């Protein structure tokens, strides 16, 4: 049973998310693509960090990272995540919760190929989340990789790629006067592609 208050921002929360993101970019928002990603270990210990929103693919939010990082290890064991985006310039917040899958190799390859060469080398050079002796060590690794791939296309490392967060719920929050804010939570309908929508007290 779908509840659809007439004053919701729209019937498809991912379309609204994209529209809000583009609106924030248009307003010159600082880093509208920065989103907080929360993961948890199987025994329920949460951790959170910022990753960059790389768009919607296959109905999911796409981000890229190192597959051996702490977040990736947590996601391999417990493939669920929460994401938060905040667009301060428009007083809007988006909260997403859902299941997580690795992007396909082709999806990760396509994104990796679009990155500047220096960023591609950094993906190779960084054993993300593991101890590193010094900044010099990182720079030397990057330099050595630059020489290794001189004159060649830098291939995507197997340990680096995308994840897709498939939303099961999305909350759209709009700042309003006197802290009487608007909150709409969208939940995937049990059958089909639709969403049920409920207004929550702020
Ligand atoms: C603005 C900003 C953007 C970031 N974007 C990414 C990103 O897209 N992917 C990523 O793996 N880490 C990104 N990071 C670094 C992460 O916040 C984090 O330090 C790193 O991924 C390691 O996290 P982990 O040890 O929990 O796996 C970003 C950090 C900041 C501050």
């Amino acid at each position: 049973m779908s509840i659809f208050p007439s004053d919701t921002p729209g019937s498809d929360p991912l379309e609204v998310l994209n529209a809000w993101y583009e609106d924030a970019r248009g307003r010159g928002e600082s880093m509208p693509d920065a989103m907080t990603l929360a993961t948890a270990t199987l025994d329920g210990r949460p951790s959170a960090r910022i990753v960059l929103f790389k768009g919607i693919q296959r109905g999911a939010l796409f981000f890229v990272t190192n597959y051996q990082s702490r977040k990736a290890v947590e996601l391999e064991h417990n493939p669920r995540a929460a994401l938060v985006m905040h667009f301060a310039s428009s007083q809007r917040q988006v909260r997403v919760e859902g299941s997580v899958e690795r992007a396909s190799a082709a999806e990760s390859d396509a994104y990796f190929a679009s990155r500047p060469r220096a960023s591609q080398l950094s993906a190779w050079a960084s054993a993300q989340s593991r101890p590193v002796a010094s900044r010099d060590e990182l720079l030397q690794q990057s330099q050595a990789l630059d020489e290794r791939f001189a004159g060649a296309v830098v291939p995507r490392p197997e340990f680096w790629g995308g994840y897709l967060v498939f939303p099961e719920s999305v909350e759209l929050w709009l700042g309003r006067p006197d802290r009487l804010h608007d909150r709409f939570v969208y939940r995937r309908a049990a059958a089909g592609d639709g969403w049920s929508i409920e207004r929550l007290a702020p």
Side-chain angles (χ1 to χ4, degrees):
M1 175 75 173
S2 127
I3 307 160
F4 191 2
S6 57
D7 53 355
T8 52
S11 58
D12 181 340
L14 296 182
E15 275 178 20
V16 178
L17 186 162
N18 252 333
W20 284 10
Y21 170 67
E22 291 301 335
D23 176 79
R25 276 168 49 119
R27 289 168 189 262
E29 171 96 32
S30 163
M31 307 218 68
D33 46 357
M35 54 185 184
T36 299
L37 165 74
T39 56
T41 59
L42 263 184
D43 61 349
R45 289 164 195 259
S47 66
R49 76 292 287 156
I50 294 196
V51 295
L52 294 180
F53 171 61
K54 296 295 178 188
I56 308 256
Q57 297 200 20
R58 292 195 271 135
L61 283 81
F62 183 61
F63 70 90
V64 293
T65 193
N66 181 304
Y67 286 145
Q68 294 163 353
S69 63
R70 176 178 175 186
K71 73 183 85 54
V73 171
E74 293 184 4
L75 286 172
E76 297 300 320
H77 289 102
N78 179 16
R80 308 195 59 76
L83 292 165
V84 184
M85 302 173 89
H86 177 218
F87 306 122
S89 58
S90 46
Q91 296 189 61
R92 288 165 170 167
Q93 172 181 244
V94 181
R95 297 169 63 179
V96 174
E97 292 166 28
S99 58
V100 182
E101 292 175 17
R102 277 195 193 194
S104 69
E107 286 166 330
S108 294
D109 286 344
Y111 178 73
F112 190 78
S114 76
R115 284 166 76 96
R117 181 184 168 86
S119 302
Q120 294 175 331
L121 293 172
S122 297
W124 275 98
S126 168
Q128 193 177 57
S129 311
R130 272 163 289 167
V132 58
S134 64
R135 178 156 191 87
D136 274 352
E137 187 180 307
L138 279 176
L139 293 171
Q140 279 164 20
Q141 272 164 9
S142 182
Q143 178 70 35
L145 287 157
D146 193 18
E147 288 160 19
R148 175 173 155 197
F149 294 119
V153 171
V154 180
R156 176 178 63 88
E158 273 189 13
F159 57 78
W160 189 99
Y163 278 106
L164 293 163
V165 181
F166 290 90
E168 286 160 13
S169 71
V170 179
E171 183 190 309
L172 302 176
W173 183 101
L174 300 91
R176 296 288 194 204
D178 305 322
R179 299 191 187 271
L180 272 185
H181 310 303
D182 288 332
R183 296 175 66 191
F184 297 99
V185 60
Y186 294 64
R187 295 188 185 90
R188 276 263 181 237
D193 295 333
W195 299 88
S196 69
I197 309 174
E198 196 168 34
R199 180 186 268 276
L200 301 182

